[in-house]
Amino acid sequence: MTKRNILTRIVALEIIGFGGVVLFLWLNEVFDLPYHLFGAPQTVINFREAVFETALVVCLGAAVMLLTIRMVRRIKYLEGFLPVCSFCKKIRVGEEWIPLEDYLDAHTEAKLSHSYCSECVKKHYGPLIAGGKKAQERPDNRRIGGPGPQ
């Protein structure tokens, strides 16, 4: 489903909703619903009031629909099939391969931050974690995690 179809459906539902409110206002004015449903005192038809209420509802509906259109147009979303390289995780756009970060930056509002998953921490920093606070030797004979410089 495209963004245009989604927007059309949302605005159509808003039109139906606000149209229902206007219809209810006029039914109430013409048929005096409180009198018939709740036994309230009977009132005369006041077309000025009905026109004023209708104008308010139409203005409110127009404002809501304009805001909806503006917000839906600002939404960026990913849709479809994205070919991703199994090794470097670059994404193919046409004939070009671009980094995942660049693609997401260009096609979404997402902000990326780098971190480590638990598997990569164990894989790359396992000896440091396993040793806890004990000093560990590095290949260049510098100590890590122990007291001050040697």
Side-chain angles (χ1 to χ4, degrees), residues 41-94:
Q42 196 170 12
T43 59
V44 295
I45 297 174
N46 185 348
F47 287 110
R48 286 184 185 165
E49 179 183 353
V51 169
F52 178 73
E53 290 171 349
T54 299
L56 286 177
V57 170
V58 168
C59 289
L60 180 63
V64 167
M65 285 181 242
L66 288 173
L67 287 172
T68 298
I69 291 168
R70 183 175 176 213
M71 289 299 166
V72 170
R73 285 184 177 161
R74 289 189 63 208
I75 293 174
K76 290 186 175 185
Y77 62 97
L78 297 175
E79 184 177 271
F81 182 73
L82 297 173
V84 179
C85 175
S86 297
F87 295 105
C88 68
K89 306 299 183 221
K90 287 184 179 179
I91 295 180
R92 186 178 69 217
V93 179

Side-chain angles (χ1 to χ4, degrees), residues 3 23 45 98 100 104 114 117:
K3 190 189 298 189
L23 177 65
I45 297 174
I98 63 171
L100 175 66
L104 291 176
H114 291 87
C117 70

Side-chain angles (χ1 to χ4, degrees), residues 7-38:
L7 180 60
T8 302
R9 286 184 178 188
I10 292 171
V11 171
L13 289 173
E14 288 176 346
I15 289 171
I16 291 169
F18 283 104
V21 171
V22 169
L23 177 65
F24 180 76
L25 288 171
W26 280 95
L27 286 174
N28 179 40
E29 198 61 44
V30 172
F31 296 111
D32 197 12
L33 295 178
Y35 170 73
H36 291 291
L37 297 175
F38 307 115

Side-chain angles (χ1 to χ4, degrees), residues 62-146:
V64 167
M65 285 181 242
L66 288 173
L67 287 172
T68 298
I69 291 168
R70 183 175 176 213
M71 289 299 166
V72 170
R73 285 184 177 161
R74 289 189 63 208
I75 293 174
K76 290 186 175 185
Y77 62 97
L78 297 175
E79 184 177 271
F81 182 73
L82 297 173
V84 179
C85 175
S86 297
F87 295 105
C88 68
K89 306 299 183 221
K90 287 184 179 179
I91 295 180
R92 186 178 69 217
V93 179
E95 296 300 319
E96 183 181 1
W97 290 90
I98 63 171
L100 175 66
E101 292 88 353
D102 293 348
Y103 181 84
L104 291 176
D105 188 44
H107 293 87
T108 70
E109 294 292 324
K111 300 297 179 212
L112 299 176
S113 174
H114 291 87
S115 186
Y116 303 108
C117 70
S118 57
E119 292 177 22
C120 287
V121 168
K122 289 176 187 172
K123 179 180 175 182
H124 297 284
Y125 298 105
L128 293 174
I129 294 171
K133 295 192 183 227
K134 294 190 299 183
Q136 296 288 324
E137 293 291 331
R138 288 180 52 175
D140 60 1
N141 292 327
R142 290 187 301 154
R143 295 174 61 83
I144 298 176

